[in-house]
Amino acid sequence: MIKLILLILCGFVFYSMISGLLRPKQSRKPKNRSNEGEIMVEDPQCHTYLPQSDAIKANINGQQYYFCSKKCLREYKQAQKK
Ligand SMILES: [Zn+2]
């Protein structure tokens, strides 16, 4: 009897492992938004590419810019003033 329970338990663990491995590829839910497929923007200051959602948006002279950090934004603005 115990063997049967163990067998069912092993089967359940195995099944959940398999379904866990297959599920992320099959589901199309935008729940876990990874960097894949996201718009990449360039930081004009340090020329780093980063996802748009992580970037700091700034409007300089009517142009939309994206920065990786506030430091880059500040440095870029200072460079523009010269
Ligand atoms: Zn930067």
Side-chain angles (χ1 to χ4, degrees), residues 24-57:
K25 281 180 183 176
Q26 284 179 341
S27 72
R28 283 184 183 176
K29 287 176 189 174
K31 206 175 177 181
N32 295 318
R33 280 194 69 193
S34 63
N35 290 349
E36 273 181 76
E38 198 164 354
I39 301 158
M40 298 297 279
V41 289
E42 190 187 1
D43 182 327
Q45 181 61 27
C46 65
H47 301 284
T48 303
Y49 282 90
L50 65 155
Q52 198 176 37
S53 59
D54 290 350
I56 294 161
K57 294 184 190 86

Side-chain angles (χ1 to χ4, degrees), residues 12-79:
F12 180 74
V13 169
F14 185 72
Y15 175 76
S16 57
M17 263 172 71
I18 294 294
S19 59
L21 282 169
L22 293 173
R23 214 175 284 164
K25 281 180 183 176
Q26 284 179 341
S27 72
R28 283 184 183 176
K29 287 176 189 174
K31 206 175 177 181
N32 295 318
R33 280 194 69 193
S34 63
N35 290 349
E36 273 181 76
E38 198 164 354
I39 301 158
M40 298 297 279
V41 289
E42 190 187 1
D43 182 327
Q45 181 61 27
C46 65
H47 301 284
T48 303
Y49 282 90
L50 65 155
Q52 198 176 37
S53 59
D54 290 350
I56 294 161
K57 294 184 190 86
N59 208 301
I60 302 160
N61 301 325
Q63 270 247 1
Q64 186 81 33
Y65 291 100
Y66 297 95
F67 297 92
C68 69
S69 64
K70 282 181 178 176
K71 185 176 158 277
C72 278
L73 167 62
R74 201 168 56 235
E75 282 174 6
Y76 190 76
K77 273 185 174 177
Q78 277 180 346

